[in-house]
Amino acid sequence: SDAGKVSAKTDNPDNTSPDASPSSKDTKADTSNVTADEVATTGGDGDAAAALTADAGGDSSSKPPKTPEGRKAGKKKTPRMTFKKKANALSAQYPDYAALLPQTQLDTTVQAWIDDDMPSFDVGGLVVGAKPATAQLWMKSSGIFAGKAFFDAVFRAVGCTVTWTKLATYEGRMITADGDKKKALMATVTGPCNQILRGERTALCALSRCSGVATESRAAVDLAKSHGWEGLVAGTRKTTPGFRIVEKYGLLVGGAATHRLDLSQMVMLKDNHVWSAGSIEGAVKLARKAAGFSQKIEVECRNLDEAIEAAGAGADIVMLDNYEPAKLKEDAKAIKEKFSHVIIEASGGITEETMGDYLSEHVDVVSQGKLTQGYHCLDYSLKIKR
């Protein structure tokens, strides 16, 4: 909703902002700069904002009368929320998912991106030279802000320093922006000019795509919630090769479930596996011998008979694939009546426009490939200060 957005201030004609200086303390990603008013305008479900508003002292327009009794009553003020409580409320609303990322693997992945972008000479880098420079990161389209860790990793790899503004303290916020007319200052980057420009496009690609996935995910999750559904909206394994970690991360920041991260995390037996194995039961039983008790097994099913066979053979999750909504709800109910412990996933051709038709109390997960395949990228720019 509009009440859950952070709006960017209209920029000055010279493309600068009062807090654009890299030496300003306000530009550091520091939770001590977060106020109760800011929390009340952030995205998400608003629980943290409501908590802060409730603890902030109530209606300040209602003052005690200037009498002895009034002055005495006035001393009993409602305790204001402490910084620690504010920080805890924000942290609960916006988890630090960057802590999940494997640093060594991330650095290796990012270096591969950089090597791919500059396999030989950088003539543009020769032109600008290695003189010290400062660049400003601007968010120019509305959406969910996500991907700080990848932006940081790129510039760390090229020997530059990133300082985030207060607005960028928490990933997962809905930021309102509109091109150059109304853009949001998110960070400053300092370092040799040629190194800033070498990292520029790679860092922006990661940030814009991660934010795009997060924005698509938030829209899908909010849509499901608007129907009163309590299940999980999930992505799929339809991710960009070499870029999976960014897209899966964007799902989390947007509020969706990642589904399995890779082939090794969970067993999924699709039609090709079943046909090659000879039967659903045979495929599930062999998979269980290898997976043991620690891995879940999911089976893709085209009809109720296949779903009952899969659940009976020991599958933990049954995917009802490419169903019509009415038939899906009917079969999901029948499966739950016989195998109440089995997780039911609806998948296949489900879009934002049709997702509401598939939601049911008997469906636990609705997955959409579009969340990581065909998403819109958000617009960011990085400009060297003159």
Side-chain angles (χ1 to χ4, degrees):
S1 65
D2 291 340
K5 298 177 181 177
V6 178
S7 297
K9 295 181 179 179
T10 303
D11 303 308
N12 297 326
D14 62 356
N15 237 22
T16 62
S17 172
D19 62 347
S21 170
S23 61
S24 169
K25 291 183 179 179
D26 287 341
T27 62
K28 295 190 182 297
D30 182 347
T31 55
S32 64
N33 291 323
V34 180
T35 66
D37 290 339
E38 275 195 299
V39 178
T41 60
T42 55
D45 57 15
D47 289 345
L52 292 184
T53 303
D55 286 349
D59 185 0
S60 59
S61 64
S62 179
K63 298 180 179 179
K66 294 182 178 181
T67 63
E69 293 80 7
R71 285 191 291 270
K72 185 176 180 181
K75 292 180 181 179
K76 298 179 180 179
K77 295 180 180 179
T78 303
R80 296 185 65 82
M81 179 172 273
T82 64
F83 161 71
K84 185 175 181 181
K85 287 184 178 179
K86 291 178 186 178
N88 287 343
L90 282 165
S91 296
Q93 188 172 358
Y94 303 109
D96 181 18
Y97 288 118
L100 288 170
L101 297 170
Q103 196 60 57
T104 302
Q105 182 182 340
L106 176 60
D107 290 342
T108 301
T109 299
V110 166
Q111 189 60 55
W113 296 343
I114 295 170
D115 293 343
D116 177 69
D117 194 41
M118 193 180 70
S120 58
F121 293 147
D122 173 20
V123 177
L126 170 67
V127 171
V128 301
K131 60 182 178 291
T134 297
Q136 294 177 316
L137 172 66
W138 299 95
M139 187 172 180
K140 299 169 64 178
S141 59
S142 297
I144 301 299
F145 171 58
K148 283 174 66 174
F150 308 107
F151 192 89
D152 279 335
V154 170
F155 282 108
R156 184 168 60 247
V158 295
C160 297
T161 301
V162 179
T163 303
W164 295 95
T165 65
K166 183 170 58 178
L167 188 61
T169 301
Y170 295 98
E171 293 180 290
R173 281 180 159 180
M174 169 64 78
I175 308 294
T176 301
D178 184 14
D180 288 322
K181 296 180 295 183
K182 189 179 182 183
K183 56 188 180 181
L185 179 63
M186 306 302 287
T188 58
V189 181
T190 56
C193 189
N194 57 353
Q195 295 298 86
I196 291 176
L197 296 182
R198 282 169 184 165
E200 174 193 9
R201 178 47 51 198
T202 300
L204 290 177
C205 284
L207 194 62
S208 65
R209 284 160 173 75
C210 191
S211 296
V213 172
T215 301
E216 293 275 359
S217 300
R218 178 67 57 81
V221 169
D222 286 348
L223 177 61
K225 287 182 178 179
S226 72
H227 286 267
W229 187 62
E230 298 181 355
L232 294 174
V233 175
T236 68
R237 205 165 59 86
K238 295 176 182 177
T239 55
T240 307
F243 209 65
R244 175 185 301 160
I245 193 169
V246 178
E247 291 166 341
K248 291 292 190 179
Y249 185 85
L251 288 170
L252 281 177
V253 174
T258 62
H259 213 292
R260 58 177 180 164
L261 296 176
D262 48 54
L263 276 174
S264 300
Q265 191 189 39
M266 183 179 76
V267 180
M268 181 182 288
L269 303 176
K270 300 171 73 69
D271 50 9
N272 285 322
H273 297 94
V274 171
W275 295 335
S276 297
S279 70
I280 289 176
E281 182 179 8
V284 171
K285 289 187 174 180
L286 179 56
R288 179 59 68 197
K289 287 181 180 179
F293 67 89
S294 62
Q295 278 187 301
K296 288 184 177 178
I297 297 174
E298 179 170 12
V299 180
E300 178 186 88
C301 301
R302 299 167 299 172
N303 52 55
L304 182 59
D305 289 341
E306 290 184 350
I308 294 297
E309 182 183 355
D316 304 288
I317 307 168
V318 167
M319 176 195 290
L320 301 181
D321 192 38
N322 291 314
Y323 263 69
E324 291 298 321
K327 183 61 174 172
L328 180 133
K329 292 177 181 179
E330 178 185 330
D331 285 3
K333 181 180 179 181
I335 297 165
K336 283 289 190 181
E337 286 176 349
K338 191 167 185 179
F339 302 96
S340 59
H341 66 284
V342 169
I343 296 171
I344 297 179
E345 175 184 347
S347 189
I350 300 174
T351 65
E352 184 177 346
E353 292 73 26
T354 63
M355 185 173 68
D357 298 331
Y358 289 86
L359 304 180
S360 161
E361 62 178 312
H362 304 295
V363 174
D364 304 293
V365 180
V366 171
S367 58
Q368 295 184 49
K370 183 188 175 184
L371 298 183
T372 56
Q373 182 180 341
Y375 53 88
H376 295 288
C377 297
L378 267 60
D379 187 13
Y380 290 88
S381 67
L382 187 69
K383 296 298 181 184
I384 298 286
K385 290 188 68 176
R386 296 182 179 181

